[in-house]
Amino acid sequence: RIPDSYQYKLRQGYSAATSYVDYLVGRVTEALDQNGYADNTIIVFMGDHGFHLGDNGEWCKQTNYDAAIRIPMMIYVPGVTSQSPSFSLIDPTAPGFDSAANTFAYPYATDELVEAVDLFPTLAELSGLPVPDLCPQDSGNIDTCVE
C-alpha cells in the first residue's frame, strides 16, 4: 500500500504535469495566432490512455477500467470547430488569474466512440487529401494496409 502522504505527492505531480502541458499547448496556439497560421492549421491533441491515481486501489495504467482505456482527443479545425481563429494564452501563473473566469464551451463534444485509427482518414479528409480505402476483410496478403 502506498502511504497517504506519498499518494498526495503523486496526484500533485500528475496535476502539475497536466497543467504544464496545458500551458505549453496555449503557448503553441498563441504562436500560431501571432504568426498568422491559426486560420489554416488543424490542431490535434491526444494522449495514449488514461492513468489511475489510486482509484479502485490502482496506480498507473495496467487495467481495463474506464480511466485507463479512455484517451483525450481534441481537434481544432479552423472555420469548423471555431469561427474565430484567435488564441489567447491563458497563464495560470499570472498574478490575478481567476480559474472560474476561464471556462470554455465545447460545441462539438461527443460521448460517441472514437478510435485513434480514425484520426488519419479524418485529417486527410479535412485537409482535402484522398482518404485511403478500407483494408479488405482478409488483409493477410496485402503488403501495406493503411486503414
Side-chain angles (χ1 to χ4, degrees), residues 1-137:
R1 177 163 161 18
I2 298 174
D4 289 346
S5 61
Y6 195 67
Q7 288 183 32
Y8 174 79
K9 288 181 180 185
L10 290 171
R11 288 186 185 107
Q12 183 182 36
Y14 187 86
S15 294
T18 301
S19 294
Y20 186 60
V21 167
D22 184 50
Y23 170 73
L24 292 177
V25 169
R27 289 187 60 192
V28 169
T29 55
E30 182 183 50
L32 287 169
D33 192 32
Q34 289 176 346
N35 292 289
Y37 295 109
D39 62 347
N40 67 356
T41 302
I42 297 171
I43 301 170
V44 177
F45 180 87
M46 64 184 289
D48 60 346
H49 45 78
F51 198 86
H52 289 288
L53 295 171
D55 44 313
N56 298 317
E58 299 289 339
W59 291 87
C60 300
K61 307 175 182 191
Q62 294 85 9
T63 72
N64 281 329
Y65 291 128
D66 217 33
I69 61 171
R70 294 182 179 265
I71 64 171
M73 181 185 289
M74 295 174 266
I75 303 175
Y76 166 81
V77 181
V80 176
T81 58
S82 173
Q83 299 306 312
S84 172
S86 179
F87 301 104
S88 58
L89 179 63
I90 298 171
D91 185 354
T93 65
F97 174 75
D98 179 11
S99 62
N102 289 287
T103 58
F104 304 94
Y106 301 103
Y108 295 99
T110 183
D111 289 327
E112 297 298 318
L113 177 66
V114 177
E115 296 181 292
V117 296
D118 298 326
L119 187 58
F120 179 76
T122 300
L123 291 175
E125 182 179 347
L126 287 169
S127 301
L129 299 172
V131 177
D133 293 330
L134 295 177
C135 294
Q137 286 285 351

